[in-house]
Amino acid sequence: DVDGEGDLSAAEPMAPYAHARQVGDMGHGSALTYCVQVYDEGERLSVVTDAGSHGTHVAGIVAANFALDSALNGVAPGAQVLACKIGDGRLGSAETGTGLVRALIAAKARGCDLINLSYGEPAWQHDSGRVAETFTAAVRKWGMCVFTSAGNDGPALSSLGSPGALSAPICVGAYVSPAMMAEQYSMLPVADVSGASYSFSSRGPTPDGFMPSLCAPGGAIAPVPRHALQGKAQYHGTSMSSPNACGVAACVLSALKQAGLSVGPIELRRALENSARPIESEPFAQGAGLINAPAALAYALEHHGKPAQDLPFALSVPSRGGARGIYLRDAAELQGPLTFGVLVQPLFEHAATRTAAEVEELLSLELQLQLGPTAPWVTTPASMVLLSAKERGGQTFTVRLDPSTLPPGAHFAAVQAVDATDPARGPLFSLPITVVIPHAISPPPPLGALTPAQLETAGDETAAPPALSFPLTLQGGVPVRRFISVPESAEWAKVTLRSGRMANGPHAVLLHAVPSARGDLPNTACQTKRMLQLRELSEEVVQLPVRGGATLELCMQLSWLANPAPATLDAEVEFHSYGARGRAMHAPTTRIGGADAFARIEVGAPLRTERLAPEAELTAAERALRPSSSTITAGSAELDVLPPSDAELRAAADAPGEQIHSMLLQYSFDVAPEGDAKEQPVLARVQSLHEQLYDAPLDSMLWRLDDANGQTLQYGGAMHDAAETKLKKGSYSISVLLRHPDRAQLTALKELPLLLRMPLPKLDCVVHGGRGAASKGGHGGHEAVAEGWVRRGGHKDLYVCKPTTELPKWVSAGDVLTGHVALDKGSKEATKLPLAFEAPPAPVKKAEAADDDGDEEDEEVVGAALDEEAMACAKEARLVQEDVDELERSVFRARLQRLRAPR
């Protein structure tokens, strides 16, 4: 009923798109097309529309086919495309685990050879998680070659996200040629500019040393949907480079099929990587190099069928937590022995009960390998004989590094294993090695070397370590990196950039700072990115967090788009600290318990004299809910069954798949806005599963917010927060859907808490400089800490008090009020620490006391009694003074005692 008339009698029947290829138009001048799909024998209807224009553009790069003008064609215009919508319109077109897993299942069911995924998110644990495992299965168990974008978070190192950081897919960085710069972007003429990786293209290595696979052109003018009201669009991103590489692979695979060869995903990947052409000095964005279709085809034809040509290998470094490469970045890692054992494991995909052919494959593997490093500072054994090594879980070799002669900067090498009997095959596997040599920084002068006048002068910077200064010469499109050893006690840095003369006008410079690459914290959770517009003889100051003892990368890249002419800058880096956060990138929360009056913070100035101007405030209330019910059911028999591996199907044609199950959790809560407010903003989040998608322990998570009438108000997913929903007074429910193949895993989560976050009117928390003032809540004339300085080597105790104003009535006992303490309110982002206050129980209402005869007294009676008491006291004093006899005094004392009795 696209006319919205509520009458289906005139509607044109439509068959599922998979059967009839029918497409409708929503009308009303929108040009929005749709189709329908029917699943589970008519139980499920899906009306499919575009969530945007991204997918159509990507598909056009791969396979656009213009019969009348072949110059407009995609890379592989003869390819057949299966479009699987993974961008969920309820989540702003973000991908979901459900969409990704169902798309892989559908691709296998319909016999796809190649998959392109132009999506990605940050990840905490690379190569881990249920969705990551499904992508690995798609390549190694189901025989499909997966291409994925590297991500758009460069140009600093260690900016790869997922799925680009997964081992099984081919990770594609984005390349731009001089011709693309001129034709797609109308770049101003420049005498000398080279092809390079786009600045946004995410770089390796990951914290465990993994690198992108290769690169491809990352910009294109390609078709977009009709509802965009334009035929084509110019987009750029690794979302464009990945389908470009996938289209090249389609052409290579097509040629191989025409030659009568069947090539699987491992063999195809080896052909693409070993034939790629390096195009810039550093491999962190390009991997093996620029994809090369003719060379890849020639390689595949020459080496098809050779021993282990279709066999993948897993490399790991056990002493570094099973890392997939060697990545040394901090100065402390460069000390001591630099010898590492490397474990090599052939990855056979066999049935649970091996066939005779599979047993023979294990027994016959014997590769004479030649090991060779690509740089002189790496030493390896000359050779190794690689067997299946099933009984030992793999074989090992040793790598020794000697970076003592390397200059400051990032250095890359690889240990390549080639067939000693046929070196032209290129590497069968390769171990990536990245070593960062930091730039040195002078230590601070000892306090004993300072004069008394220097020690007495507040803010005297002669007591501080010198700032690190260095010149920079920027060329268009070329990242310039500086790696700086951060002092152990540093918490943030102030970076100052000063420009000189600019004969060609202002410049746009991208500053990308990554403070550390150790641990599991995604770079997006700690990095600083700024696009700076630098004018002649100007200065820009950026404050950014650092990790004490780690190596900070400052990466700067000149934009070639507006002004590609070279530019020169002077940079200065100055480190600061209050000694309050420690080496953690995320400071521990300062907590005021429900029964506490304050929380204590110790601050100092270990590096230089620091300004102290504390400010504390609470800005939101967080409430945890438990589910009222949980229900586990099997997923769709058509959409939610993971297929058996190809090996299992070869062993038994009726091998079963694996059913995915769903669990629905129900939560309920009430909203009662206070005062004149008609609505209360609420944000829902499944906190323990938040910001995890490819590395999540579940296949998927989705929640839905409904009002008491069943109207849906909001949806939310696993990766990104939904917008706050403004709710009126009433009752509401939230349904959370979780998916996993193992029912027991879902059962373990049936009491999963849900977080509600509600903004507060700003609540100030006074910061005192002593425990006594804090204990008394500031009463007795105690002032809050005044703005001042903490001299280098000094110390100050701060006491953050609970809120001074009454809490909103809707805040309940057990709610946690959150905010921050800024140690310098003039530099909040650099100096703030998280703050939490546990809401105590509401004050107990006191019962009114009764008088002797049980009658209530009004204010006039109480006032009269008090007046009578005052008069009696005055008369007692007069009698004492006049020395009247004891009897009269006794009478008045008895009367006074009665008046003072409780009423």
Side-chain angles (χ1 to χ4, degrees), residues 17 85 94 113 258 299 396 429 479 521 570 576 656 658 811 895:
Y17 183 83
K85 181 180 177 180
D113 298 300
Q258 291 180 36
Y299 178 97
T396 61
F429 59 79
L521 189 68
D570 287 318
H576 294 261
E658 185 177 17
V811 173
R895 186 179 179 190

Side-chain angles (χ1 to χ4, degrees), residues 97-106 108 115 117 127-144 146 163 166 168-169 639 641-643 658 660 693-700 739-741:
T98 299
L100 291 164
V101 172
R102 284 179 170 175
L104 293 173
I105 293 172
K108 177 60 178 175
I115 293 173
L117 176 62
D127 229 24
S128 174
R130 276 294 307 151
V131 175
E133 291 170 5
T134 309
F135 273 97
T136 299
V139 176
R140 295 177 182 164
K141 296 181 180 294
W142 306 338
M144 299 181 291
V146 178
L166 304 183
L639 300 173
V641 177
L642 297 166
E658 185 177 17
I660 297 173
L693 201 160
Y694 296 90
D695 57 337
L698 304 178
D699 286 46
S700 187
R739 289 162 48 89
H740 196 279

Side-chain angles (χ1 to χ4, degrees), residues 636-706:
S636 165
E638 191 171 351
L639 300 173
D640 297 325
V641 177
L642 297 166
S645 69
D646 292 349
E648 293 290 353
L649 290 174
R650 286 193 297 268
D654 59 349
E658 185 177 17
Q659 177 70 60
I660 297 173
H661 295 87
S662 299
M663 179 168 69
L664 188 67
L665 301 175
Q666 298 283 359
Y667 304 78
S668 60
F669 64 98
D670 295 324
V671 168
E674 185 173 334
D676 295 333
K678 302 297 183 183
E679 297 174 321
Q680 172 67 55
V682 175
L683 182 148
R685 181 192 296 163
V686 182
Q687 185 73 17
S688 63
L689 300 175
H690 189 57
E691 294 182 333
Q692 295 182 92
L693 201 160
Y694 296 90
D695 57 337
L698 304 178
D699 286 46
S700 187
M701 187 278 290
L702 183 73
W703 59 259
R704 185 187 70 216
L705 169 63
D706 296 333

